[in-house]
Amino acid sequence: MNANSEVSKLTKLAKKDCLNWNVDPLNIKLHLNQPKEKLEQYADGQADFSLVALKTNSLLVWHFARYRASLLSGARDIENLVFASKYAVWSFLMDEPPATVGRAGPFLMDQAAFLLGLQIICGWKRRALAVGDALVKGLDTPLLDLRNNERHNAGSLYPHFWFLIQMFRAGKGEPFIDLTPYSHPERMAPYDQVLTDWKTTDLSKVKRWVEDMAEHHIQSTDDSDPDALNEFDNPKFKLFPYEILAFLRIREWAGLSNPLEFDHPLMNQSLAYKPLLAELPLPDPETPLLDRVLVRYQRDWPDLRIPDGL
């Protein structure tokens, strides 16, 4: 696979996909109007909790699609990025308490990594901590259900999930998780080399790592075989290297410099945009409906994690 031609092809497909997405009546119904109606019903006491996290995730899908479309058109609609990221954190954290008692889950690993990556990219440290801690705890609960057992090897499917978990731990100054008790990939390339020396000050090494990860990302976008699973074959992830952007952001949080440019075409297209460190944290958008939902949700589930601000 030629990376330049593949990125060019994927960019054309993404632009075509985004062209009318936000004006399609079905998308408006499924990802905007209907979710808001359901959340209103829940906030008003007219429905139970069962669809709340799912409908919150639908609003994430809506706003992230608008953010993707803006980048692909040459703009940078940060407002939709922060809305997507805020709905992301709550769509996940609202699943944690019911999953702990077996009433929700398991959460898809690539989706979980994406949600964590969004918090890190936005510079929302406390929300990233809440999501990361919930992910680590969820390895042993139905939230992720990744303990080794005879039923599945689900944890082996997404090496970048484990990479972000380990980077999250390292960024907190905590030891890497022992993966032995969990279903996990036998091979972690190219992420294993990064984890061994992620705090290096050798920028040529960081540049090489990022380009290796970018090549892995683009090589893992093939969705031509419906029976095969590739790590980044979800359309919204194909050109969005969130795992790489999160890695670079965690290095910044540790006071480390990063290369100013990269040679790989994935890192030189519009969806590889990372807000500048000086702009962080990105503003917390006002979400009055979600605020009302959370008030009731915390009554229903007192163990709901509430990150302290940004």
Side-chain angles (χ1 to χ4, degrees), residues 41-68:
Q41 292 171 4
Y42 175 76
D44 291 340
Q46 299 172 10
D48 67 13
F49 80 95
S50 57
L51 294 177
V52 172
L54 180 64
K55 296 306 177 183
T56 304
N57 189 74
S58 293
L59 292 172
L60 153 64
V61 171
W62 172 263
H63 287 285
F64 187 72
R66 298 193 70 177
Y67 175 63
R68 278 180 71 223

Side-chain angles (χ1 to χ4, degrees), residues 26 242 275:
L26 183 60
Y242 58 90

Side-chain angles (χ1 to χ4, degrees), residues 105-168:
F107 214 89
L108 296 177
M109 293 174 65
D110 61 336
Q111 187 74 4
F114 169 63
L115 303 186
L116 176 59
L118 284 178
Q119 309 314 305
I120 296 170
I121 291 166
C122 286
W124 291 348
K125 291 185 180 181
R126 291 175 181 170
R127 287 179 180 163
L129 287 171
V131 172
D133 287 342
L135 283 173
V136 173
K137 181 180 177 183
L139 299 175
D140 298 306
T141 76
L143 184 65
L144 289 165
D145 190 24
L146 292 177
R147 275 273 173 180
N148 283 321
N149 60 58
E150 69 282 358
R151 297 192 311 275
H152 65 73
N153 64 344
S156 65
L157 302 177
Y158 297 104
H160 79 280
F161 166 86
W162 296 106
F163 171 65
L164 277 184
I165 289 282
Q166 302 291 42
M167 279 301 308
F168 161 75

Side-chain angles (χ1 to χ4, degrees), residues 189-207:
Y191 305 114
D192 49 359
Q193 62 179 338
V194 183
L195 292 171
T196 60
D197 192 22
W198 73 274
K199 294 184 75 173
T200 183
T201 57
D202 182 348
L203 296 190
S204 64
K205 186 182 290 188
V206 177
K207 185 174 185 290

Side-chain angles (χ1 to χ4, degrees), residues 85 256 260:
S85 300
L256 299 167
L260 297 178

Side-chain angles (χ1 to χ4, degrees), residues 42 49 52 90 93-94 97-98 290-307:
Y42 175 76
F49 80 95
V52 172
W90 290 114
L93 293 182
M94 286 192 289
L290 179 60
D291 294 345
R292 289 170 51 217
V293 166
L294 291 172
V295 168
R296 183 181 171 200
Y297 205 89
Q298 195 173 23
R299 290 201 303 266
D300 290 347
W301 296 97
D303 292 338
L304 176 69
R305 290 179 191 260
I306 305 290

